[in-house]
């Protein structure tokens, strides 16, 4: 039984994710925790979230765990609360950037890090074997409600220092941070224009994924209103993306590099991050360490290596001085802080080297992914005649002598095989993309 992907359990409500499954997951988590301690539960505004929350909480309490419900919150608040309250675990109900018909369950450790693949396999095993513990009638878990948002916001304000006067357009995408990020920015002295800042599980303003295609309104409004920058979240605000004052969507890798340069030291990132990060970190005496894709792997490496900052090019970043949970809200504030002191954003981004990037995804049923990736591992290196370096940390990454590289890896959240290309010449990038796509389509 395979329930967990790169970012918890994820799927369409009623098809993969049901109240029945949520009850089993709650019982399995309680069993894993030996029926002891408190579990924090939060959810994003999706229409199915409270159904899942109620079923999952019932399973936790049946297994003897106490449940602290913190209501509709962004993922970073859930991670923060789990660590702050020293709970045994936390559970976030969200499908993050997926469409509204999707939902998900992601589990967190007491220190605010996501459950590891090994821990997730233990949960799956308990569900598969139906090996649940059940508390007696006089030892069932209790449930209580608690508001953690105010404490989270107050702590955030202690960690950033923004020069007042910036004009920021903020698009929360009708997600869980709608009542948080704009408020904090105003507290910091920014003039904020709000866009899609009312929680709504149908996501009527735009799709939850903050892509250039979905953020055209934000890009236009930043330019027309002469704002200093625009910022957007996904549905649960574990991610942050930005638009510069010229209305240009900020390159993911450049944003990651901008924050990394500010922090210096050991920077943890994933196999799909640009080589521009390595080049810029050398200038400030920093070091880049790569992991598998997924915030859990970034968090583990931050702890192991004593990293100062960790992030994925998707806009999912971790700031260990505050929390080991991916935090799009904290990321937004740090970007605003940098722009307020060193801006404009367009200049800061243009100073970072730019290479040709292609991201693609090719449909592939989840049931075929393992077989396809085994063939990729065996056959992809044979497609190259020049000297190559092969990296199998996550999928297969082929690095060429001229600095260009190809990464093919299975999506952990959707039925796709993902392709990532980077090259210093556009012609090379297109050639590598055509080769990779043709190669994959034949295998699939």
């Amino acid at each position: 039984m395979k329930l967990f992907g790169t970012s918890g359990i994820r799927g369409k409500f009623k098809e993969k994710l049901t109240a029945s499954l949520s009850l089993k997951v709650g019982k399995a988590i309680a069993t894993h925790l030996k029926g002891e301690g408190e579990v924090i539960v939060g959810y994003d505004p999706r229409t199915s979230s409270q159904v899942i929350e109620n079923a999952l909480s019932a399973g936790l309490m049946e297994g003897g765990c106490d449940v602290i419900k913190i209501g509709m919150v962004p993922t970073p608040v859930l991670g923060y609360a789990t660590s702050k309250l020293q709970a045994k675990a936390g559970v976030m109900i969200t499908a993050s950037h997926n469409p509204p018909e999707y939902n998900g369950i992601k589990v967190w450790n007491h220190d605010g890090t996501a459950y590891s693949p090994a821990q997730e396999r233990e949960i799956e095993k308990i569900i598969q074997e139906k090996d649940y513990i059940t508390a007696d009638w006089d030892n069932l878990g209790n449930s209580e409600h608690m508001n953690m948002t105010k404490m989270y916001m107050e702590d955030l304000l202690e960690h950033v220092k923004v020069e007042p006067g910036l004009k920021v357009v903020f698009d929360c995408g009708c997600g869980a941070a709608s009542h948080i990020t704009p408020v904090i920015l105003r507290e910091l002295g920014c003039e904020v224009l709000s866009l899609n800042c009312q929680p709504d599980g149908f996501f009527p303003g735009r799709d939850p994924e903050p892509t250039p295609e979905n953020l055209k309104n934000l890009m236009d409004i930043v330019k027309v209103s002469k704002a200093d920058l625009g910022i957007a979240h996904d549905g649960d605000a574990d991610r942050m993306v930005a638009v510069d004052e010229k209305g240009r969507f900020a390159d993911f890798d450049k944003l990651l590099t901008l924050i990394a340069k500010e922090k210096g030291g050991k920077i943890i990132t994933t196999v799909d991050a640009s080589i521009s990060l390595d080049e810029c970190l050398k200038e400030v005496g920093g070091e880049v360490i790569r992991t598998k894709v997924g915030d859990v792997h970034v968090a583990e490496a931050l702890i192991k290596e004593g990293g100062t900052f960790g992030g994925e090019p998707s806009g999912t970043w971790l700031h260990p001085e505050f929390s080991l949970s991916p935090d799009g809200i904290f990321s937004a504030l740090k970007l605003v802080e940098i722009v307020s002191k060193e801006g404009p954003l367009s200049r800061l981004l243009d100073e970072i080297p730019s290479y040709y990037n292609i991201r693609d995804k090719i449909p592939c049923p989840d049931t075929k992914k393992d077989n396809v990736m085994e063939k990729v591992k065996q056959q992809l290196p044979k497609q190259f005649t020049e000297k190559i370096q092969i990296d199998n940390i996550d999928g297969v990454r082929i690095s060429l002598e001229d600095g260009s590289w190809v990464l093919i890896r299975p999506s952990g959240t959707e039925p796709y095989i993902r392709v990532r290309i980077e090259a210093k010449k556009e012609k090379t990038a297109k050639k590598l993309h055509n080769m990779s796509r043709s190669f994959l389509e034949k295998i699939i």
Side-chain angles (χ1 to χ4, degrees):
M1 175 187 287
K2 179 68 174 171
L3 290 175
F4 289 87
T6 306
S7 192
I9 300 171
R10 190 82 61 86
K12 289 183 179 180
F13 181 73
K14 204 173 83 166
E15 291 183 14
K16 179 176 180 178
L17 203 57
T18 61
S20 176
L21 175 62
S22 304
L23 178 67
K24 293 174 184 176
V25 173
K27 290 165 67 173
I29 294 170
T31 301
H32 177 63
L33 298 175
K34 298 180 171 55
E36 300 171 352
E38 297 173 330
V39 180
I40 315 294
V41 181
Y43 58 86
D44 76 12
R46 293 167 189 272
T47 59
S48 57
S49 287
Q50 291 187 57
V51 173
I52 297 169
E53 182 213 33
N54 287 325
L56 184 134
S57 297
L60 287 166
M61 290 187 289
E62 184 179 334
C65 288
D66 292 330
V67 175
I68 298 178
K69 297 184 176 184
I70 61 173
M72 191 201 72
V73 294
T75 288
V77 174
L78 187 282
Y80 166 88
T82 304
S83 174
K84 193 77 173 178
L85 298 179
Q86 298 183 324
K88 270 293 189 73
V91 183
M92 183 66 192
I93 297 160
T94 179
S96 192
H97 62 276
N98 288 124
E101 64 270 23
Y102 283 76
N103 216 325
I105 299 172
K106 189 166 181 176
V107 193
W108 304 87
N109 285 299
H110 64 92
D111 61 356
T113 60
Y115 261 31
S116 68
Q119 288 174 302
E120 291 173 339
R121 285 193 293 272
E122 289 181 27
I123 300 298
E124 289 174 340
K125 184 180 178 184
I126 293 168
I127 294 172
Q128 186 172 7
E129 296 178 355
K130 300 178 181 177
D131 188 21
Y132 309 112
I133 62 170
T134 301
D136 293 329
W137 68 270
D138 57 349
N139 202 34
L140 295 169
N142 296 313
S143 171
E144 65 174 301
H145 291 80
M146 187 177 294
N147 186 344
M148 290 298 297
T149 302
K150 183 179 179 183
M151 187 185 301
Y152 169 82
M153 292 170 70
E154 289 174 348
D155 264 11
L156 271 184
L157 289 167
E158 293 292 320
H159 282 80
V160 290
K161 294 181 180 178
V162 174
E163 300 293 332
L166 282 188
K167 188 174 186 179
V168 183
V169 184
F170 216 101
D171 183 350
C172 286
C174 299
S178 295
H179 292 158
I180 297 179
T181 317
V183 174
I184 297 176
L185 286 172
R186 291 186 179 107
E187 287 272 341
L188 290 168
C190 296
E191 178 186 349
V192 181
L193 301 181
S194 301
L195 185 63
N196 300 316
C197 287
Q198 72 286 352
D200 190 324
F202 291 95
F203 301 105
R206 61 165 172 86
D207 287 341
E209 187 166 13
T211 62
E213 296 75 24
N214 293 334
L215 297 176
K216 292 193 183 300
N217 283 346
L218 174 63
M219 293 153 75
D220 290 341
I221 292 172
V222 168
K223 195 173 179 181
V224 170
S225 66
K226 293 183 170 50
D228 293 286
L229 73 160
I231 298 176
H233 289 315
D234 55 345
D236 66 331
D238 65 345
R239 290 167 59 184
M240 181 278 294
V241 302
V243 173
D244 71 18
E245 79 281 1
K246 296 179 180 180
R248 302 180 305 177
F249 188 87
D251 179 84
F252 288 119
D253 288 290
K254 286 192 173 189
L255 275 180
L256 179 66
T257 300
L258 179 61
I259 301 290
K261 281 177 64 181
E262 283 290 317
K263 297 218 176 179
K266 288 185 178 180
I267 304 299
I268 313 299
T269 192
T270 48
V271 292
D272 57 341
S274 171
I275 55 173
S276 65
L277 177 61
D278 302 74
E279 294 175 356
C280 290
L281 260 292
K282 283 181 183 177
E283 296 174 7
V284 295
E287 179 185 356
V288 177
I289 299 169
R290 281 182 165 76
T291 71
K292 287 184 176 183
V293 172
D295 62 84
V296 60
H297 303 296
V298 175
E300 287 173 347
L302 279 169
I303 296 170
K304 180 182 177 182
E305 303 290 343
T308 56
F309 171 63
E312 301 182 79
S314 63
T316 307
W317 302 346
L318 290 82
H319 306 266
E321 73 270 29
F322 183 71
S323 170
L324 286 168
S325 170
D327 195 326
I329 300 171
F330 191 92
S331 298
L333 300 186
K334 292 306 288 185
L335 180 63
V336 170
E337 179 182 79
I338 291 170
V339 173
S340 75
K341 296 174 181 176
E342 303 175 25
L345 181 57
S346 62
R347 178 180 56 77
L348 295 174
L349 295 174
D350 289 343
E351 288 173 352
I352 297 169
S354 182
Y355 301 123
Y356 292 96
N357 285 273
I358 298 175
R359 288 179 172 86
D360 197 3
K361 56 184 184 180
I362 298 170
C364 178
D366 290 336
T367 53
K368 294 182 69 175
K369 284 179 180 176
D370 288 345
N371 186 44
V372 167
M373 288 308 303
E374 188 59 37
K375 290 180 179 177
V376 169
K377 190 175 181 179
Q378 294 171 2
Q379 300 175 26
L380 183 62
K382 298 175 184 178
Q383 308 301 308
F384 300 89
T385 55
E386 63 266 57
K387 187 177 179 181
I388 60 174
Q389 179 182 336
I390 304 171
D391 189 335
N392 294 320
I393 292 175
D394 188 1
V396 181
R397 175 169 164 155
I398 305 289
S399 301
L400 308 180
E401 286 184 288
D402 64 0
S404 56
W405 54 273
V406 177
L407 172 67
I408 296 178
R409 54 172 292 274
S411 170
T413 57
E414 297 175 293
Y416 292 104
I417 299 291
R418 298 192 183 277
V419 180
R420 172 90 152 87
I421 312 283
E422 183 173 55
K424 294 185 177 181
K425 295 181 180 179
E426 184 177 13
K427 182 179 179 181
T428 305
K430 288 181 177 179
K431 179 183 176 183
L432 290 171
H433 178 231
N434 290 336
M435 180 277 293
S436 302
R437 188 173 181 90
S438 175
F439 166 76
L440 267 177
E441 286 175 341
K442 285 178 184 176
I443 291 177
I444 294 172

